[in-house]
Amino acid sequence: MSRSERLLNLLQVLRHHRRPVTGQALSAELGVSIRTLYRDIASLKAQGAVIEGEPGLGYVMKPGFMLPPLMFAAEELDALVLGMRLIAEQGDQSLAQGASRALDKIYAVLPAELRRELEASALLVGAGRKVPPQAVDADVLRTAIRIGHKLELSYRTPAGAVSERTVWPFALVYFDLTRVLMCWCELRGAFRNFRTDRILAAKLLSTRSPRSRQALLAQWRRTEYVAGHSILPEATSGVR
């Protein structure tokens, strides 16, 4: 196990214990020597962790300390790299650029040993079919969700008719070939889902949604449609 993984494991164990725990108990839980444990505690303190205690009395860490990204375990780093590469390949332009910048920032702060692991990562994203062309920039949809404002949509139904809707967006679901905007629809007075490739125009309104996205998502999860199912198990489920 690398030093960075040891420090991350020690951090997680200290967070788990609300009361002082002895060095012997910590070393047994982590599978390291007591000497290594004391050295790792000193390293965490040097990085800003407030760990109170001393040998023979036990240790407890005050909440609020966050390690920098260099403390990712190997499997956590793999998950991040693969996720960023998927977004860079399959996301819209703005999101793809954001993923690439985020990966660059992670790379910049990694220690040499983990930077080499990232460079040699064998988790690659294969070429696949692309999401259908979108008439509306997904940034508009994400912004509406983030700031909690209403959207005015012009939407083409599966039958080809065009419908005008004012909605309260609260989530955007990404599938392989489809994206779905989840909303409360003022026209229907109910939850409705809209495929983004059928949205012809979207205007961000200055009016805030009466309910927050957290409240809307919580209510949506409680509906009869969702009960017992994962979110939108099929790309066309509940989509108008």
Side-chain angles (χ1 to χ4, degrees):
M1 180 185 297
S2 68
R3 176 175 175 274
S4 60
E5 288 178 302
R6 283 203 329 269
L7 292 179
L8 181 61
N9 289 341
L10 174 56
L11 177 65
Q12 300 297 355
V13 169
L14 286 170
R15 282 176 174 161
H16 177 72
H17 290 284
R18 302 295 180 87
R19 294 182 174 83
V21 57
T22 66
Q24 287 77 13
L26 286 172
S27 64
E29 187 170 350
L30 294 165
V32 299
S33 70
I34 192 71
R35 184 176 179 179
T36 297
L37 175 75
Y38 291 154
R39 187 167 58 245
D40 288 346
I41 287 176
S43 295
L44 286 181
K45 285 183 176 181
Q47 295 189 53
V50 181
I51 301 174
E52 298 178 344
E54 58 185 62
L57 298 178
Y59 297 91
V60 64
M61 185 177 71
K62 289 188 175 181
F65 175 66
M66 296 294 293
L67 280 174
L70 60 86
M71 297 309 301
F72 289 130
E75 64 275 9
E76 293 169 339
L77 188 62
D78 280 345
L80 281 169
V81 170
L82 182 58
M84 295 299 184
R85 287 175 176 173
L86 280 167
I87 294 171
E89 176 67 25
Q90 299 293 338
D92 57 79
Q93 183 177 3
S94 177
L95 208 57
Q97 290 174 348
S100 295
R101 289 194 300 269
L103 195 56
D104 288 342
K105 289 179 180 179
I106 292 171
Y107 181 86
V109 298
L110 287 174
E113 60 181 284
L114 290 184
R115 190 178 298 130
R116 287 192 294 270
E117 286 189 27
L118 188 150
E119 290 173 338
S121 174
L123 301 180
L124 306 177
V125 177
R129 292 179 294 171
K130 296 293 184 180
V131 173
Q134 312 284 303
V136 173
D137 189 342
D139 266 350
V140 176
L141 310 181
R142 288 195 296 268
T143 298
I145 294 170
R146 184 170 59 251
I147 67 176
H149 281 218
K150 295 182 181 181
L151 279 173
E152 193 173 82
L153 301 182
S154 179
Y155 189 75
R156 186 182 66 252
T157 67
V162 176
S163 175
E164 305 296 329
R165 308 288 184 95
T166 299
V167 300
W168 313 344
F170 61 90
L172 186 60
V173 184
Y174 286 76
F175 296 94
D176 289 343
L177 298 176
T178 309
R179 297 167 189 157
V180 176
L181 183 67
M182 300 169 62
C183 310
W184 176 269
C185 177
E186 292 187 353
L187 178 65
R188 302 302 183 195
F191 290 109
R192 290 292 185 267
N193 305 318
F194 301 90
R195 276 182 44 166
T196 60
D197 58 313
R198 293 179 184 159
I199 298 176
L200 305 178
K203 180 181 179 182
L204 180 61
L205 303 180
S206 60
T207 310
R208 293 187 61 86
S209 300
R211 282 175 281 171
S212 69
R213 67 176 183 270
Q214 294 89 346
L216 288 167
L217 185 57
Q219 182 183 350
W220 180 82
R221 289 182 186 278
R222 293 192 299 267
T223 62
E224 182 179 354
Y225 169 72
V226 177
H229 299 278
S230 60
I231 294 178
L232 295 175
E234 297 178 2
T236 56
S237 296
V239 180
R240 305 301 178 189

